[in-house]
Amino acid sequence: MTSEPVLSICISTYNRGEKVEALVRNILNISSQEMTVVAVDDHSSDDTAERLSDIQDTRFYFYRNATNQGARGNWFETINHGCGQYILHVLDRDWIYGEYILALLEVLNKGKISFGYIGRMFNLVNSKKGVIEEYRAGQEALEKFAFTLIHPSGFLVKKDIWDKLEDKKKFFCGESYGIYPHSYVFACLAKEYNGVLINYPMIEVINRATYARYKSKFYEKDKSSLPYWWTPEAHKWELENLTLYAYHHMDLRASLLRKVLQYRFHENLYAATIAYRDIAKDVRNARHYGVRTFYVKED
Protein backbone atom coordinates (compact mmCIF):
# COMPACT_ATOMS: atom_id res chain seq x y z
CA MET A 1 0.00 0.00 0.00
CA THR A 2 1.26 3.50 -0.83
CA SER A 3 -0.12 5.19 2.28
CA GLU A 4 -0.71 4.26 5.89
CA PRO A 5 -4.06 2.46 6.29
CA VAL A 6 -6.60 3.86 8.70
CA LEU A 7 -7.17 0.58 10.54
CA SER A 8 -5.24 -2.61 11.22
CA ILE A 9 -7.42 -5.47 12.42
CA CYS A 10 -4.89 -7.53 14.38
CA ILE A 11 -5.66 -11.18 15.13
CA SER A 12 -3.89 -13.30 17.74
CA THR A 13 -3.95 -16.97 16.79
CA TYR A 14 -2.73 -20.34 18.02
CA ASN A 15 -3.64 -23.80 16.69
CA ARG A 16 -6.89 -22.72 15.05
CA GLY A 17 -5.87 -22.81 11.41
CA GLU A 18 -9.28 -23.41 9.91
CA LYS A 19 -11.01 -20.86 12.13
CA VAL A 20 -8.48 -18.05 11.70
CA GLU A 21 -8.32 -18.54 7.93
CA ALA A 22 -12.09 -18.16 7.71
CA LEU A 23 -11.96 -15.04 9.89
CA VAL A 24 -9.22 -13.40 7.82
CA ARG A 25 -10.91 -14.18 4.49
CA ASN A 26 -14.22 -12.87 5.81
CA ILE A 27 -12.66 -9.53 6.76
CA LEU A 28 -10.81 -9.26 3.45
CA ASN A 29 -14.13 -9.59 1.63
CA ILE A 30 -14.52 -5.90 2.46
CA SER A 31 -13.09 -4.06 -0.53
CA SER A 32 -11.79 -1.01 1.36
CA GLN A 33 -8.13 -0.09 0.92
CA GLU A 34 -8.22 1.84 4.20
CA MET A 35 -7.66 -1.28 6.29
CA THR A 36 -5.17 -4.08 6.70
CA VAL A 37 -5.45 -7.42 8.46
CA VAL A 38 -2.54 -8.64 10.59
CA ALA A 39 -2.35 -12.17 12.01
CA VAL A 40 0.32 -13.26 14.50
CA ASP A 41 0.66 -17.00 15.03
CA ASP A 42 2.04 -18.09 18.40
CA HIS A 43 4.17 -20.89 16.92
CA SER A 44 1.24 -23.21 16.21
CA SER A 45 1.73 -26.96 15.75
CA ASP A 46 -1.20 -27.29 13.32
CA ASP A 47 -1.54 -25.99 9.75
CA THR A 48 -2.12 -22.34 10.72
CA ALA A 49 1.07 -21.11 9.02
CA GLU A 50 0.31 -22.95 5.79
CA ARG A 51 -3.27 -21.72 5.64
CA LEU A 52 -2.41 -18.09 6.30
CA SER A 53 0.61 -18.10 3.99
CA ASP A 54 -1.71 -19.10 1.15
CA ILE A 55 -3.79 -15.93 1.46
CA GLN A 56 -2.82 -13.61 -1.37
CA ASP A 57 -3.98 -10.10 -0.58
CA THR A 58 -1.75 -7.03 -0.35
CA ARG A 59 -3.74 -5.90 2.69
CA PHE A 60 -2.84 -9.01 4.69
CA TYR A 61 0.28 -9.42 6.83
CA PHE A 62 1.24 -12.67 8.53
CA TYR A 63 3.83 -13.14 11.29
CA ARG A 64 4.84 -16.21 13.25
CA ASN A 65 6.54 -16.14 16.65
CA ALA A 66 9.83 -18.05 16.73
CA THR A 67 8.74 -19.60 20.04
CA ASN A 68 5.43 -19.90 21.86
CA GLN A 69 4.79 -16.76 23.92
CA GLY A 70 1.58 -17.84 25.63
CA ALA A 71 -1.75 -16.09 25.13
CA ARG A 72 -0.96 -12.77 26.79
CA GLY A 73 2.50 -12.55 25.27
CA ASN A 74 1.05 -13.13 21.83
CA TRP A 75 -1.61 -10.49 22.43
CA PHE A 76 1.22 -7.99 22.89
CA GLU A 77 3.07 -9.16 19.78
CA THR A 78 -0.13 -8.94 17.73
CA ILE A 79 -0.97 -5.39 18.78
CA ASN A 80 2.66 -4.36 18.31
CA HIS A 81 2.60 -5.52 14.67
CA GLY A 82 -0.33 -3.25 13.81
CA CYS A 83 0.54 -0.97 10.90
CA GLY A 84 -2.52 1.26 10.63
CA GLN A 85 -3.31 4.60 12.22
CA TYR A 86 -5.56 2.59 14.54
CA ILE A 87 -5.17 -0.92 15.89
CA LEU A 88 -8.12 -3.19 16.67
CA HIS A 89 -7.26 -6.42 18.53
CA VAL A 90 -9.34 -9.59 18.18
CA LEU A 91 -8.84 -13.29 18.88
CA ASP A 92 -8.97 -16.14 16.39
CA ARG A 93 -11.96 -17.84 18.00
CA ASP A 94 -14.14 -14.75 17.54
CA TRP A 95 -15.95 -13.30 14.55
CA ILE A 96 -16.26 -9.89 12.90
CA TYR A 97 -19.38 -8.83 11.04
CA GLY A 98 -17.95 -7.07 8.03
CA GLU A 99 -20.82 -4.66 7.45
CA TYR A 100 -19.67 -2.70 10.50
CA ILE A 101 -16.08 -2.25 9.31
CA LEU A 102 -17.00 0.53 6.87
CA ALA A 103 -19.00 2.29 9.59
CA LEU A 104 -16.01 2.06 11.94
CA LEU A 105 -13.67 3.45 9.26
CA GLU A 106 -15.99 6.42 8.86
CA VAL A 107 -15.75 7.11 12.59
CA LEU A 108 -11.97 6.67 12.70
CA ASN A 109 -11.45 8.95 9.69
CA LYS A 110 -12.64 11.85 11.81
CA GLY A 111 -9.42 11.41 13.81
CA LYS A 112 -10.91 12.19 17.22
CA ILE A 113 -10.40 8.81 18.92
CA SER A 114 -7.35 8.00 21.04
CA PHE A 115 -8.35 4.66 22.54
CA GLY A 116 -11.43 2.68 23.40
CA TYR A 117 -13.41 -0.50 23.03
CA ILE A 118 -15.80 -1.85 20.41
CA GLY A 119 -18.71 -4.03 21.46
CA ARG A 120 -19.83 -5.29 24.82
CA MET A 121 -17.95 -3.70 27.71
CA PHE A 122 -17.62 -5.70 30.92
CA ASN A 123 -17.89 -2.46 32.85
CA LEU A 124 -21.34 -1.72 34.25
CA VAL A 125 -20.73 1.70 35.83
CA ASN A 126 -21.17 5.22 34.58
CA SER A 127 -22.60 4.22 31.17
CA LYS A 128 -23.88 6.94 28.89
CA LYS A 129 -26.05 4.51 26.89
CA GLY A 130 -25.17 5.90 23.48
CA VAL A 131 -24.04 4.21 20.29
CA ILE A 132 -20.74 6.06 20.67
CA GLU A 133 -19.93 7.06 24.24
CA GLU A 134 -17.09 9.51 24.88
CA TYR A 135 -15.31 9.87 28.22
CA ARG A 136 -13.01 12.78 28.95
CA ALA A 137 -9.40 12.18 29.95
CA GLY A 138 -8.85 12.09 33.70
CA GLN A 139 -11.56 11.24 36.20
CA GLU A 140 -14.31 10.38 33.72
CA ALA A 141 -12.17 8.06 31.57
CA LEU A 142 -10.47 6.51 34.60
CA GLU A 143 -13.77 5.65 36.26
CA LYS A 144 -14.97 4.01 33.05
CA PHE A 145 -11.87 2.27 31.70
CA ALA A 146 -9.13 1.87 34.32
CA PHE A 147 -8.65 -1.80 35.31
CA THR A 148 -12.06 -2.82 33.99
CA LEU A 149 -12.77 -6.49 33.20
CA ILE A 150 -12.46 -6.62 29.44
CA HIS A 151 -12.32 -9.29 26.77
CA PRO A 152 -9.23 -8.89 24.53
CA SER A 153 -11.36 -8.72 21.38
CA GLY A 154 -12.49 -5.14 20.83
CA PHE A 155 -9.46 -3.30 22.23
CA LEU A 156 -8.88 -0.20 20.08
CA VAL A 157 -5.95 2.21 20.25
CA LYS A 158 -4.33 4.81 18.04
CA LYS A 159 -0.97 3.43 16.96
CA ASP A 160 1.14 6.49 17.76
CA ILE A 161 -0.31 6.54 21.28
CA TRP A 162 0.37 2.81 21.71
CA ASP A 163 3.94 3.33 20.53
CA LYS A 164 4.53 6.12 23.05
CA LEU A 165 3.27 4.08 26.02
CA GLU A 166 6.32 3.01 28.02
CA ASP A 167 6.82 -0.38 29.65
CA LYS A 168 3.53 -1.72 28.30
CA LYS A 169 4.94 -5.18 27.60
CA LYS A 170 5.14 -5.91 31.33
CA PHE A 171 1.33 -5.95 31.55
CA PHE A 172 1.20 -8.79 29.04
CA CYS A 173 4.15 -10.84 30.29
CA GLY A 174 4.02 -10.59 34.09
CA GLU A 175 1.61 -12.46 36.35
CA SER A 176 1.54 -9.58 38.83
CA TYR A 177 -0.82 -7.81 36.41
CA GLY A 178 -3.58 -10.39 36.43
CA ILE A 179 -5.43 -11.92 33.49
CA TYR A 180 -6.55 -8.68 31.78
CA PRO A 181 -3.47 -6.78 30.52
CA HIS A 182 -5.55 -4.51 28.29
CA SER A 183 -7.22 -3.10 31.40
CA TYR A 184 -3.86 -1.84 32.70
CA VAL A 185 -3.16 -0.22 29.35
CA PHE A 186 -6.56 1.47 29.64
CA ALA A 187 -5.63 2.73 33.11
CA CYS A 188 -2.47 4.37 31.77
CA LEU A 189 -4.18 5.88 28.74
CA ALA A 190 -7.24 7.19 30.60
CA LYS A 191 -5.12 9.63 32.60
CA GLU A 192 -4.10 11.53 29.46
CA TYR A 193 -6.50 10.68 26.65
CA ASN A 194 -10.23 10.66 25.97
CA GLY A 195 -11.71 7.17 25.79
CA VAL A 196 -14.57 5.97 23.62
CA LEU A 197 -16.93 3.03 23.80
CA ILE A 198 -18.37 2.12 20.40
CA ASN A 199 -21.46 -0.01 20.89
CA TYR A 200 -21.48 -1.70 17.50
CA PRO A 201 -22.41 -5.42 17.46
CA MET A 202 -19.35 -5.81 15.26
CA ILE A 203 -17.42 -8.49 17.14
CA GLU A 204 -18.96 -11.72 18.36
CA VAL A 205 -16.58 -12.59 21.16
CA ILE A 206 -18.29 -15.88 21.96
CA ASN A 207 -19.79 -17.81 19.08
CA ARG A 208 -22.23 -19.98 21.00
CA ALA A 209 -22.53 -22.51 18.18
CA THR A 210 -18.79 -23.28 18.14
CA TYR A 211 -17.70 -22.25 21.65
CA ALA A 212 -17.29 -25.79 22.98
CA ARG A 213 -15.72 -27.00 19.73
CA TYR A 214 -12.82 -24.53 19.79
CA LYS A 215 -10.94 -25.27 23.00
CA SER A 216 -9.37 -22.40 24.92
CA LYS A 217 -5.62 -21.96 24.42
CA PHE A 218 -5.24 -19.31 27.12
CA TYR A 219 -4.24 -21.63 29.94
CA GLU A 220 -2.08 -24.08 28.01
CA LYS A 221 1.24 -22.45 28.92
CA ASP A 222 0.41 -21.08 32.37
CA LYS A 223 -2.32 -23.47 33.49
CA SER A 224 -0.65 -24.34 36.80
CA SER A 225 -0.53 -20.73 38.01
CA LEU A 226 -3.55 -18.92 36.57
CA PRO A 227 -7.07 -19.37 37.96
CA TYR A 228 -9.89 -19.64 35.44
CA TRP A 229 -11.04 -16.10 34.69
CA TRP A 230 -14.65 -16.58 35.80
CA THR A 231 -13.90 -18.04 39.26
CA PRO A 232 -14.05 -16.13 42.54
CA GLU A 233 -10.34 -16.87 43.03
CA ALA A 234 -9.53 -15.07 39.78
CA HIS A 235 -11.50 -11.96 40.73
CA LYS A 236 -9.92 -11.83 44.18
CA TRP A 237 -6.53 -12.04 42.50
CA GLU A 238 -7.47 -9.30 40.02
CA LEU A 239 -8.52 -6.96 42.81
CA GLU A 240 -5.32 -7.54 44.75
CA ASN A 241 -3.14 -6.90 41.70
CA LEU A 242 -4.94 -3.83 40.42
CA THR A 243 -5.14 -2.28 43.88
CA LEU A 244 -1.39 -2.63 44.41
CA TYR A 245 -0.64 -1.16 41.00
CA ALA A 246 -3.11 1.71 41.41
CA TYR A 247 -1.69 2.70 44.82
CA HIS A 248 1.96 2.48 43.82
CA HIS A 249 1.98 3.64 40.19
CA MET A 250 -1.11 5.63 39.19
CA ASP A 251 -0.39 8.82 41.19
CA LEU A 252 -4.06 9.74 41.59
CA ARG A 253 -5.58 11.97 44.23
CA ALA A 254 -7.00 9.95 47.12
CA SER A 255 -10.69 10.63 46.38
CA LEU A 256 -10.39 9.58 42.73
CA LEU A 257 -8.33 6.51 43.61
CA ARG A 258 -11.00 5.38 46.09
CA LYS A 259 -13.76 5.88 43.53
CA VAL A 260 -11.97 3.91 40.80
CA LEU A 261 -11.20 1.06 43.20
CA GLN A 262 -14.78 1.10 44.50
CA TYR A 263 -16.12 0.66 40.95
CA ARG A 264 -13.70 -2.19 40.29
CA PHE A 265 -14.60 -3.85 43.59
CA HIS A 266 -18.29 -3.87 42.70
CA GLU A 267 -17.61 -5.20 39.20
CA ASN A 268 -15.42 -8.02 40.46
CA LEU A 269 -17.87 -8.83 43.23
CA TYR A 270 -20.69 -9.09 40.69
CA ALA A 271 -18.52 -11.24 38.42
CA ALA A 272 -17.49 -13.53 41.28
CA THR A 273 -21.04 -14.13 42.53
CA ILE A 274 -23.99 -13.48 40.22
CA ALA A 275 -22.15 -13.90 36.90
CA TYR A 276 -20.11 -16.84 38.24
CA ARG A 277 -23.27 -18.74 39.11
CA ASP A 278 -24.47 -18.59 35.50
CA ILE A 279 -21.08 -19.37 33.94
CA ALA A 280 -20.53 -22.33 36.27
CA LYS A 281 -23.73 -23.93 34.97
CA ASP A 282 -22.77 -23.50 31.32
CA VAL A 283 -21.77 -26.88 29.89
CA ARG A 284 -20.29 -25.29 26.77
CA ASN A 285 -18.03 -23.09 28.88
CA ALA A 286 -16.75 -26.14 30.75
CA ARG A 287 -16.00 -27.93 27.49
CA HIS A 288 -14.34 -24.86 25.98
CA TYR A 289 -11.91 -24.61 28.88
CA GLY A 290 -11.54 -28.35 29.38
CA VAL A 291 -12.62 -28.28 33.01
CA ARG A 292 -14.11 -31.37 34.62
CA THR A 293 -17.85 -31.56 34.35
CA PHE A 294 -18.43 -31.55 38.08
CA TYR A 295 -17.90 -27.78 37.87
CA VAL A 296 -21.18 -27.44 36.00
CA LYS A 297 -24.70 -28.71 36.28
CA GLU A 298 -26.11 -30.37 33.17
CA ASP A 299 -29.86 -30.36 32.63
Side-chain angles (χ1 to χ4, degrees):
M1 297 183 64
T2 58
S3 61
E4 185 182 42
V6 176
L7 175 66
S8 286
I9 300 175
C10 299
I11 306 168
S12 298
T13 187
Y14 177 64
N15 277 354
R16 289 199 181 109
E18 180 183 1
K19 184 74 166 65
V20 71
E21 180 189 10
L23 175 59
V24 170
R25 292 188 183 279
N26 175 66
I27 299 170
L28 292 173
N29 281 333
I30 301 298
S31 60
S32 174
Q33 295 298 310
E34 292 187 309
M35 69 168 193
T36 59
V37 180
V38 176
V40 179
D41 174 33
D42 198 20
H43 203 77
S44 293
S45 59
D46 68 355
D47 61 350
T48 294
E50 291 78 4
R51 285 178 175 273
L52 295 183
S53 296
D54 284 343
I55 297 176
Q56 301 299 312
D57 192 307
T58 58
R59 299 171 298 163
F60 178 59
Y61 299 86
F62 172 55
Y63 304 91
R64 188 171 190 261
N65 295 333
T67 59
N68 184 269
Q69 302 297 304
R72 291 176 299 168
N74 195 42
W75 297 347
F76 174 80
E77 295 296 335
T78 302
I79 298 169
N80 227 30
H81 277 296
C83 56
Q85 298 172 37
Y86 289 90
I87 299 165
L88 172 63
H89 183 217
V90 298
L91 303 187
D92 58 4
R93 77 174 191 193
D94 301 324
W95 193 252
I96 289 183
Y97 293 103
E99 59 266 32
Y100 289 98
I101 293 177
L102 296 177
L104 176 61
L105 287 169
E106 185 176 341
V107 172
L108 296 179
N109 267 312
K110 296 177 181 178
K112 297 181 179 180
I113 293 176
S114 298
F115 78 94
Y117 190 79
I118 298 174
R120 182 190 174 202
M121 189 80 159
F122 296 108
N123 179 323
L124 305 177
V125 303
N126 194 29
S127 178
K128 297 185 177 182
K129 306 297 185 185
V131 175
I132 299 179
E133 304 175 16
E134 297 181 3
Y135 297 86
R136 294 189 301 273
Q139 179 169 341
E140 193 173 74
L142 285 163
E143 290 177 6
K144 182 65 179 179
F145 289 98
F147 309 114
T148 191
L149 305 178
I150 182 174
H151 189 280
S153 290
F155 174 81
L156 178 71
V157 65
K158 199 170 185 181
K159 180 173 172 53
D160 61 356
I161 291 175
W162 168 263
D163 289 342
K164 287 189 294 185
L165 185 62
E166 297 180 356
D167 298 326
K168 52 188 174 287
K169 189 173 183 178
K170 66 185 179 184
F171 300 134
F172 295 82
C173 299
E175 286 192 10
S176 59
Y177 303 103
I179 299 172
Y180 301 92
H182 301 72
S183 71
Y184 285 82
V185 175
F186 273 174
C188 296
L189 296 180
K191 291 183 66 177
E192 300 184 42
Y193 302 100
N194 295 340
V196 62
L197 175 57
I198 302 176
N199 291 307
Y200 290 165
M202 176 178 171
I203 304 170
E204 187 174 30
V205 299
I206 299 177
N207 186 320
R208 304 310 295 172
T210 60
Y211 191 48
R213 175 185 171 192
Y214 292 104
K215 304 300 183 185
S216 172
K217 309 297 182 183
F218 182 84
Y219 295 95
E220 288 194 357
K221 188 173 182 179
D222 302 311
K223 194 165 186 176
S224 62
S225 56
L226 292 177
Y228 289 105
W229 64 266
W230 68 88
T231 62
E233 292 84 1
H235 294 294
K236 178 177 179 292
W237 187 48
E238 291 294 334
L239 279 171
E240 291 172 350
N241 288 327
L242 71 87
T243 299
L244 287 172
Y245 184 85
Y247 268 107
H248 293 296
H249 300 286
M250 289 298 292
D251 191 28
L252 303 177
R253 68 180 187 274
S255 59
L256 176 55
L257 178 61
R258 285 194 299 269
K259 184 169 286 189
V260 169
L261 293 179
Q262 183 182 42
Y263 283 148
R264 303 298 90 87
F265 173 82
H266 285 299
E267 288 165 5
N268 278 275
L269 180 62
Y270 173 87
T273 53
I274 297 172
Y276 170 67
R277 177 190 60 194
D278 295 331
I279 294 172
K281 293 188 295 184
D282 190 334
V283 175
R284 286 171 296 192
N285 183 73
R287 291 172 180 163
H288 176 71
Y289 286 99
V291 298
R292 295 178 63 182
T293 53
F294 67 76
Y295 282 161
V296 300
K297 178 181 178 182
E298 298 194 51
D299 294 330

